[in-house]
Amino acid sequence: MKIGMIGAGAISTLHMNAYAKIPGCEVTAIADLNLPLAQGVADKYGIANVYSDYRNILADESIDAVSIVTPTFTHKNIAMDAIKANKHVLCEKPPALNAHETREIVEAAKKYDKCFMFAFALRFENEVTYLKDYVDSGKMGKIVCAQGARLNTLSPAKGWFNSRAKGGGSLRDEGIHELDAMLYLMGYPKPKAVLAAADFSNKELLYRVKNCGKGWHSVDTTHYERDVEDVIKGFVTFENGASLIIGASSILRATCERRYVEINGDTAGAMWSVDKRQLEMNEINGEDMSVVYTPDINKNNPFDSEIAHFVDCCLGKAESICRVDEAVRLMEIIDAIYESADKGIPIML
């Protein structure tokens, strides 16, 4: 397979490294509006064709598939163009700016005979694979609730990350990982209602301090008025009686930064520390009532696993575990969380 890379930012190198490990795969072209940036990546990875316009990649009939690793606000147009060009497509999260745009992409993708996959890397962590098999086996029983968060005390992200209209925001761009992982493990139940709250009290803090935490830095140096939330919390109920709580922050006076996913059934529960790569299980076990243990799970690079899976799907060797309809439901929930936080009222779905 010949691959085209659309976007040359930091995450493009994760895709590039993963494709390089797959026999028979070669990234033959890269495009970015920042041509010097694209050229630098091309020089590092030995990519022959470098463009400032991604449509040059789509016009190349020798290219089988593309990775879209551009800012969120560009996803819809690029994805639609890639679909029309009859390419296999791997599009980074978030799928688009909102559920409406995501739905448009999905409806278009269903009309052509190529693989279209949104990239949700946490699904490919070995711990999540283990948990998914465990839940699907019935060992956890009825899923009662879940909770998760991605909490940054002070994220260094600037540029378009700070503009809601461009797709930034601690939930839409970061906490989306933990939210998708919970919904995936729960079987993506149909949501019933959402209640959420957000806070913007420390919005200027990012520009006043020097010791920001770790995180993604946008190569976009454009100044945008910061209008994304510092912290947001959402409570979601589902038609099957289950519920979840999701939290995300870019600025929060927490004692430490934390990423976690917890899922609870009526016969077992699991807590996965995403940042520490630790999974702890709690099972009902006869008269002892409960046994807590840590499964022995090999660590993996989720991007390598994700992109290997995408290539297998393109070649007809596998069916994508990242169902496009789930991406629409995910964005519907995220839209409702933001709407609830903005209006201060519950949102029915």
Side-chain angles (χ1 to χ4, degrees):
M1 287 182 62
K2 292 186 177 180
I3 312 295
M5 190 68 53
I6 301 178
I11 204 166
S12 69
T13 60
L14 298 175
H15 284 238
M16 215 86 68
N17 292 336
Y19 282 120
K21 296 172 184 176
I22 302 173
C25 266
E26 180 186 6
V27 178
T28 60
I30 186 168
D32 197 287
L33 287 173
N34 186 334
L35 192 58
L37 178 67
Q39 187 63 61
V41 176
D43 292 343
K44 179 179 178 180
Y45 288 92
I47 302 171
N49 302 298
V50 186
Y51 307 109
S52 60
D53 190 336
Y54 70 87
R55 286 168 288 198
N56 289 312
I57 289 179
L58 301 183
D60 187 341
E61 295 183 358
S62 72
I63 291 177
D64 303 294
V66 295
S67 272
I68 301 174
V69 290
T70 57
T72 304
F73 63 93
T74 68
H75 284 184
K76 179 194 168 185
N77 289 342
I78 297 175
M80 296 293 272
D81 287 345
I83 289 168
K84 294 174 184 176
N86 206 34
K87 306 295 186 187
H88 299 292
V89 180
L90 176 62
C91 181
E92 264 298 337
K93 63 81 212 162
L97 283 172
N98 50 52
H100 176 71
E101 287 192 355
T102 305
R103 196 177 295 110
E104 284 190 71
I105 296 170
V106 168
E107 291 305 312
K110 287 180 177 180
K111 297 176 181 178
Y112 85 128
D113 190 27
K114 295 287 183 177
C115 174
F116 190 100
M117 189 172 120
F118 291 113
F120 294 112
L122 288 198
R123 296 191 186 198
F124 296 89
E125 297 268 13
N126 280 350
E127 292 88 347
V128 174
T129 299
Y130 176 93
L131 276 179
K132 181 63 173 171
D133 290 342
Y134 186 92
V135 171
D136 289 349
S137 74
K139 293 179 181 178
M140 194 168 279
K142 174 187 174 183
I143 302 303
V144 177
C145 59
Q147 42 272 324
R150 179 177 292 212
L151 303 177
N152 295 300
T153 56
L154 188 57
S155 169
K158 296 181 181 179
W160 65 270
F161 287 104
N162 286 324
S163 168
R164 184 185 290 195
K166 297 295 183 181
S170 55
L171 174 60
R172 183 174 283 112
D173 191 74
E174 295 192 88
I176 189 174
H177 279 299
E178 284 70 28
L179 179 57
D180 173 69
M182 286 189 286
L183 291 167
Y184 176 61
L185 292 170
M186 297 172 79
Y188 257 86
K190 188 174 180 180
K192 182 178 180 181
V194 168
L195 180 63
D199 188 79
F200 301 80
S201 299
N202 286 319
K203 62 180 294 184
E204 298 302 323
L205 189 62
L206 181 65
Y207 305 102
R208 298 206 311 266
V209 300
K210 297 180 180 179
N211 59 333
C212 290
K214 297 178 181 179
W216 294 104
H217 292 263
S218 173
V219 295
D220 177 11
T221 58
T222 306
H223 176 74
Y224 296 101
E225 182 68 25
R226 179 179 167 85
D227 63 357
V228 297
E229 72 282 1
D230 297 340
V231 60
I232 189 166
K233 296 290 183 74
F235 176 64
V236 186
T237 60
F238 300 93
E239 290 189 355
N240 66 0
S243 64
L244 71 75
I245 298 172
I246 179 67
S249 70
S250 57
I251 304 174
L252 182 67
R253 294 300 87 214
T255 56
C256 65
E257 298 194 340
R258 193 175 176 211
R259 295 174 58 194
Y260 72 94
V261 167
E262 182 175 359
I263 184 166
N264 308 105
D266 59 6
T267 58
M271 167 66 83
W272 178 40
S273 176
V274 183
D275 43 358
K276 297 179 181 178
R277 303 291 297 273
Q278 294 177 350
L279 175 63
E280 190 173 61
M281 305 289 295
N282 183 337
E283 295 179 343
I284 292 177
N285 187 9
E287 294 180 357
D288 293 333
M289 286 304 296
S290 67
V291 173
V292 176
Y293 67 97
T294 301
D296 184 16
I297 301 173
N298 293 327
K299 309 303 179 187
N300 69 314
N301 182 320
F303 284 94
D304 289 353
S305 300
E306 173 187 74
I307 287 173
H309 178 69
F310 170 64
V311 170
D312 281 346
C313 292
C314 294
L315 297 175
K317 296 180 179 179
E319 183 177 345
S320 176
I321 68 167
C322 295
R323 292 172 48 193
V324 290
D325 290 337
E326 292 174 347
V328 175
R329 181 163 291 182
L330 172 66
M331 294 309 295
E332 288 174 343
I333 293 172
I334 289 175
D335 287 354
I337 289 173
Y338 277 100
E339 183 181 359
S340 176
D342 288 344
K343 296 180 177 179
I345 59 174
I347 301 298
M348 303 303 295
L349 292 170

